Amino acid sequence: MRAVLLGPPGAGKGTQAVKLVEKYRIPQISTGDIFRKNIKEETELGKKVQEYTTSGRLVPDELVVDLVKDRLQQEDCKNGYLLDGFPRTISQAEQLDEYLKERGEQLDAVINFEVGHDTLMERLTGRRICKVCGAGYHVKNIPPRVEGVCDKCGGELEQRKDDTAETAEKRIAVYEESTAPLIDYYAKNGALKNFNAEKDHSIVFEEIIAALGE
Ligand code: AP5
Ligand code: MG
């Protein structure tokens, strides 16, 4: 399975990725997660991207595309992968297409998450992430058993720096301008599959696997 998760910030891409990775036994490649890890570890890449991610702007294409190409060359991507948050611009999509052609591969599906603005804002501002293992929660929709504590590892939960109301609004606007055009792009190449992601996360998952097959 070679698939892209496409959708606005807070649509549930990461939430579904965790379950899809388990179901299809393929790696999740989240450019956002890769950037956050590099920022935390204060690497050269982390220093370059920090200002963009915390202000809700897109990281320049040239810093993203080579990173993904390198990641796709790793052994665990041989039988498929789930791209989460990439591509995010038409230029990134074109460069991915070219690269896939070189590899003799094509995308099986572009899973497009449809969610309205108010739901996105509620999801982003209520999201909490485990500082230790990275597991995701929502204060109301997907709460941990004990407030502020990760169910999986007991780690402390924190808010992402870009999940303030102001930066969330900015990210949604950036999505509309730069990423939403990819819906048409992938509709034309036939890989696009649309999902109403306002529904409960377990229903969204069932609908995705029903469309993708076993
Ligand atoms: P990235 O980390 O990719 O963030 P994003 O696209 O803004 O998406 P999110 O991770 O915020 O949302 P999600 O769809 O994963 O939602 P989640 O499942 O967590 O990117 C961050 C930054 O990195 C960018 O702003 C940019 O600067 C940079 N970047 C990354 N990739 C780039 C690229 N290719 N090019 C350039 N720059 C790039 O869910 C959200 C919340 O809702 C959670 O609390 C969850 O529990 C809850 N929830 C999920 N599903 C449901 C449901 N069905 N019902 C109720 N609640 C739900
Ligand atoms: Mg995510």
Side-chain angles (χ1 to χ4, degrees):
M1 176 69 57
R2 297 184 181 91
V4 166
L5 303 180
L6 178 65
K13 302 181 297 293
T15 303
Q16 295 302 328
V18 171
K19 299 170 181 228
L20 291 166
V21 156
E22 206 178 304
K23 163 96 186 150
Y24 293 104
R25 302 193 173 281
I26 49 174
Q28 169 197 11
I29 302 175
S30 160
T31 39
D33 285 351
I34 295 171
F35 293 145
R36 280 184 290 279
K37 183 167 184 280
N38 276 273
I39 291 169
K40 203 170 179 181
E41 292 170 359
E42 297 179 6
T43 66
E44 278 310 306
L45 176 67
K47 284 177 201 153
K48 282 186 197 153
V49 302
Q50 182 160 27
E51 200 195 310
Y52 297 100
T53 61
T54 45
S55 65
R57 285 180 298 146
L58 290 182
V59 170
D61 290 341
E62 56 272 23
L63 289 178
V64 185
V65 177
D66 288 344
L67 180 94
V68 175
K69 283 186 184 174
D70 282 350
R71 180 65 187 85
L72 289 176
Q73 279 167 30
Q74 289 176 24
E75 186 66 21
D76 62 343
C77 293
K78 251 173 58 185
N79 297 319
Y81 39 80
L82 199 56
L83 292 169
D84 166 4
F86 178 90
R88 238 174 165 102
T89 61
I90 294 283
S91 164
Q92 289 180 17
E94 287 170 348
Q95 293 183 67
L96 174 66
D97 272 354
E98 233 167 79
Y99 184 61
L100 292 179
K101 210 185 273 172
E102 278 170 30
R103 286 166 63 108
E105 294 177 357
Q106 60 182 37
L107 294 172
D108 298 303
V110 174
I111 300 164
N112 182 38
F113 292 68
E114 297 175 322
V115 181
H117 174 271
D118 293 353
T119 306
L120 295 176
M121 285 300 290
E122 190 258 344
R123 287 187 186 174
L124 290 168
T125 53
R127 172 167 49 194
R128 298 292 182 271
I129 304 286
C130 176
K131 270 186 179 176
V132 181
C133 74
Y137 299 88
H138 186 279
V139 287
K140 283 203 208 107
N141 307 341
I142 307 175
R145 283 193 293 273
V146 178
E147 196 186 321
V149 180
C150 179
D151 290 349
K152 297 190 174 87
C153 76
E156 190 189 338
L157 302 187
E158 65 179 353
Q159 204 171 6
R160 250 168 65 174
K161 285 201 172 60
D162 57 349
D163 277 347
T164 60
E166 192 190 348
T167 309
E169 285 285 10
K170 166 87 181 155
R171 288 159 59 205
I172 295 169
V174 167
Y175 163 82
E176 289 299 340
E177 190 181 329
S178 303
T179 308
L182 292 180
I183 298 172
D184 264 0
Y185 181 91
Y186 283 117
K188 282 186 190 130
N189 90 354
L192 190 77
K193 294 182 195 297
N194 293 315
F195 295 89
N196 173 357
E198 294 263 354
K199 298 180 187 174
D200 184 84
H201 64 95
S202 50
I203 297 173
V204 177
F205 178 64
E206 291 305 326
E207 293 187 353
I208 293 174
I209 58 171
L212 296 187
E214 287 304 313

